[in-house]
Amino acid sequence: MKRIYFTSFLIFIVMLLLVVTSSKVTFAATISGMVVDESGQPVTDVIVSIQSFKGKFDPSNRRINRMEPIFPPPQPSPTDAKGAFAVENLTANSVNWINVLPQQGHRYNVLFIDFQGISFQFVPYMFHWNTGFPFGIEEDTDVKDVKISVRRQMRISGQVLTSDGKPLSNASINLQVNRRDIKGSGKGRSSFGTRLNVDGKFTHYVNNAAYYTIIIQYHNQTVKSKEILLKKGQSIDDLTLQFKDEFIIPKVPVVEKRVPNVNREIIQLAHQKRREGMWAINPANRHAYKKIYCQTPQEALDIAKEHDAHLLTINDKEEQQWIFDVYGEENYWIGCIDVDDKGNKLWENSEPVTFTNWDPNPLLPKSEAPEPKNSSNGKLFTVLIGVTGKWQQVRDGNAIISITNSAILEKEDLLIGLMKPEE
């Protein structure tokens, strides 16, 4: 195992990021390898996750400027029976964090990562389980044979019981952990609030071999464990702490809240005005647009009909950008695209389609994608995705409907007598 100093580690990362920030973005890269324990045996109960960003690495605090997370994010990869993983469709060029996350509730400490022929060693405070290891990917380059060595993080798990032997279910407690070093070189204490689960259980992770004492405080009562010796790599999962006395929980007096006199008709009118929105004129084409709120795409079509308008038809990228500039980069229902008898694409209002911006990468997995047009699963609807600026078609029941509650109406004759823009 090759050891390097942390300075060399930073130099390596900065060199990778110089490549990242100087090239254009493509979608091709894959990172693959395996996760093993200290003895080299495969670890099968973890997930390898990667977060990708368009940003710059700051060596002063070992952090990435995360102003632009890449969407959609790479899908995490659980390790298989051989400890192997493969995270696909990474954006190259990009800066990334690779991390090992628990799949069955047990955290791991990362000991070292063999990455492109270089071995990086870690101690717990250098590799936090919720942060990860930063790296860069060159354009159209797959990273193979990554080896991640991990060790199960030491922990103390236990159950808290009331005086009658029942679990102290879902209680908010104060957990104090006292530590005494094995060699007597020092001691420490930490105290924090936490919540027991429905079975009255808790879990506290530790990094060092030492003598530990657990103290639980709840409603002015305290229960203390015996001193527990945890050697390197050991955990304890069967600690039981039981209070001696019955809890006397003071009753909180009920204070009646004064309800101000409210004119409900005014509130309902305000909600109605908010839903109706206001018309705005696009100076480029003199068309009027309005943002409305709706629960379903069919409701958006019904509201458009009530306003003698139609759902938004986008004829060029400038018109779409104007919509985002005025109304914000959200998901919007826009005019459905249909096909006439001759196979020509038309908007819902029968206008010809002169511009499209379909997303080649579905927002959801293929299993949730809309079925073919001749399916009996209902009508196709079109949504403008705010985070990507792309279009996607969905049917009733698609999960995208639940995150799209706005639409854009459009009409050409809101104001009479306006001069049309010069040809």
Side-chain angles (χ1 to χ4, degrees), residues 187-249:
K187 59 183 179 179
R189 183 181 69 178
S190 61
S191 180
F192 52 90
T194 187
R195 190 176 186 87
L196 304 175
N197 69 10
V198 67
D199 297 318
K201 294 183 178 181
F202 67 92
T203 297
H204 177 71
Y205 287 92
V206 298
N207 292 319
N208 302 309
Y211 291 95
Y212 291 94
T213 303
I214 304 298
I215 302 173
I216 305 292
Q217 294 176 326
Y218 181 70
H219 281 288
N220 297 322
Q221 290 196 44
T222 299
V223 60
K224 182 178 180 180
S225 74
K226 295 181 180 180
E227 196 172 53
I228 304 166
L229 172 61
L230 284 186
K231 297 181 180 180
K232 183 179 179 181
Q234 287 185 337
S235 292
I236 182 170
D237 293 323
D238 57 357
L239 180 66
T240 300
L241 297 171
Q242 184 173 1
F243 287 97
K244 293 181 178 180
D245 302 323
E246 183 180 352
F247 295 112
I248 301 176
I249 303 176

Side-chain angles (χ1 to χ4, degrees), residues 393-406:
Q393 285 193 314
V394 299
R395 293 188 187 279
D396 289 337
N398 192 294
I400 293 180
I401 294 179
S402 64
I403 59 174
T404 306
N405 55 15
S406 302

Side-chain angles (χ1 to χ4, degrees), residues 257-398:
K257 295 183 179 180
R258 297 184 60 185
V259 180
N261 295 326
V262 176
N263 189 326
R264 298 188 179 278
E265 292 183 358
I266 294 178
I267 293 179
Q268 292 176 355
L269 181 61
H271 284 305
Q272 180 181 351
K273 289 295 184 182
R274 179 177 179 269
R275 289 180 60 83
E276 292 179 353
M278 296 183 62
W279 291 97
I281 305 296
N282 184 347
N285 58 13
R286 295 293 197 273
H287 289 192
Y289 303 83
K290 176 191 283 190
K291 176 181 176 180
I292 62 169
Y293 295 91
C294 53
Q295 297 297 322
T296 65
Q298 185 59 52
E299 182 185 1
L301 289 170
D302 295 340
I303 296 176
K305 187 176 181 180
E306 293 175 2
H307 286 74
D308 193 23
H310 57 81
L311 292 187
L312 172 67
T313 62
I314 303 177
N315 295 309
D316 50 53
K317 62 180 181 180
E318 289 77 17
E319 183 177 10
Q320 176 172 304
Q321 187 58 49
W322 186 86
I323 293 295
F324 279 156
D325 291 341
V326 173
Y327 297 107
E329 295 181 355
E330 302 177 16
N331 290 0
Y332 299 112
W333 295 113
I334 62 177
C336 305
I337 291 183
D338 209 336
V339 178
D340 62 13
D341 296 337
K342 298 180 181 180
N344 299 317
K345 290 184 176 181
L346 299 173
W347 288 99
E348 180 81 7
N349 66 343
S350 300
E351 287 186 18
V353 175
T354 58
F355 169 77
T356 59
N357 195 19
W358 298 113
D359 193 343
N361 300 307
L363 186 65
L364 297 174
K366 291 184 179 179
S367 60
E368 301 183 34
E371 298 179 7
K373 183 69 180 291
N374 58 5
S375 167
S376 60
N377 194 29
K379 183 176 181 180
L380 272 174
F381 297 94
T382 304
V383 59
L384 169 59
I385 306 296
V387 71
T388 63
K390 299 293 185 179
W391 308 354
Q392 294 199 11
Q393 285 193 314
V394 299
R395 293 188 187 279
D396 289 337
N398 192 294

Side-chain angles (χ1 to χ4, degrees), residues 132-187:
F133 171 72
F135 67 96
I137 293 183
E138 298 181 21
E139 184 176 358
D140 297 330
T141 300
D142 291 338
V143 181
K144 301 179 180 180
D145 301 323
V146 176
K147 184 178 180 181
I148 305 175
S149 178
V150 298
R151 177 198 297 148
R152 272 199 173 192
Q153 189 170 356
M154 299 167 61
R155 71 180 185 182
I156 301 173
S157 296
Q159 186 180 36
V160 182
L161 305 177
T162 60
S163 59
D164 57 0
K166 296 180 180 179
L168 187 60
S169 179
N170 295 319
S172 296
I173 63 168
N174 183 74
L175 176 63
Q176 180 177 316
V177 181
N178 295 344
R179 186 193 79 251
R180 180 171 65 89
D181 293 345
I182 294 177
K183 296 181 180 180
S185 57
K187 59 183 179 179

